Amino acid sequence: SFWRGRFEAEGRLANAQFERFFTEQFGLDRDVFAGKRMLDIGCGPRGSLEWATMAAERVGVDPLVGDYRALGIDEHAMTYVEAGAERLPFPDASFDVVSCFNALDHVDDVTAAIGEITRVARPGAICLLLVEVEHEPTVTEPQSLSWDVLDGFRGWTVLGERRLALD
């Protein structure tokens, strides 16, 4: 119902803002994504990877993809796959870039989701993660993550971490 409300208020759901989340937020240049297979977990219906025209493949996964079709996702130049983060329908080592923006606290099983992110990432892959921590659980965000959420990403090298607090 949230996305239907946004669609009714905005008309076509905009996606121009996403490039800066993938680049500026992480200090990355667009060229980093050239020729890469990209996966955005919990992508929503806005076309989060539309900006990445230099990528070899752009895939968004979300358990609500079936509902998003009525919001115009079939017009996007990326592939949408209906699945939860805990059971990604891709072979091992499929993606060069895996992103998960404000989605890890929406899953039922954080450990399983992190395991799947790790499984589908190729050796040397980049994982871009934005999470809200220490919030009260809700129906749509049942997980209250702590600052040690990165401890679950065993085998990954953390190249950068920024902790921002809301006042």
Side-chain angles (χ1 to χ4, degrees):
S1 65
F2 172 80
W3 287 116
R4 275 192 307 276
R6 297 302 327 140
F7 182 74
E8 290 168 9
E10 298 176 33
R12 187 164 192 251
L13 295 173
N15 56 38
Q17 69 275 18
F18 284 103
E19 180 176 359
R20 70 180 178 85
F21 287 119
F22 285 83
T23 58
E24 291 175 27
Q25 291 291 328
F26 294 97
L28 298 173
D29 187 85
R30 285 176 55 95
D31 294 341
V32 169
F33 305 100
K36 304 295 188 201
R37 294 188 72 213
M38 298 179 70
L39 175 66
D40 187 23
I41 297 173
C43 63
R46 288 190 180 269
S48 59
L49 297 174
E50 286 293 282
W51 64 274
T53 56
M54 75 299 289
E57 184 176 12
R58 299 174 281 173
V59 179
V61 66
D62 197 300
L64 301 175
V65 164
D67 295 329
Y68 296 160
R69 299 228 179 268
L71 305 177
I73 65 169
D74 292 326
E75 297 173 19
H76 296 153
M78 57 183 275
T79 303
Y80 284 87
V81 175
E82 187 166 351
E86 300 92 339
R87 295 180 64 97
L88 297 172
F90 308 108
D92 294 358
S94 293
F95 295 95
D96 304 296
V97 178
V98 181
S99 56
C100 185
F101 297 166
N102 191 35
L104 202 54
D105 57 343
H106 290 253
V107 303
D108 291 327
D109 185 338
V110 174
T111 302
I114 292 171
E116 283 292 275
I117 289 169
T118 302
R119 182 186 68 76
V120 302
R122 288 183 174 158
I126 297 170
C127 178
L128 304 175
L129 178 68
L130 295 173
V131 295
E132 182 181 356
V133 297
E134 299 177 350
H135 67 73
E136 290 297 319
T138 66
V139 172
T140 58
E141 296 177 326
Q143 304 298 330
S144 181
L145 304 171
S146 64
W147 287 108
D148 63 358
V149 66
L150 290 179
D151 294 346
F153 286 84
R154 290 177 202 86
W156 289 87
T157 300
V158 177
L159 297 178
E161 176 181 351
R162 244 173 60 195
R163 296 179 182 202
L164 304 173
L166 298 175
D167 294 331

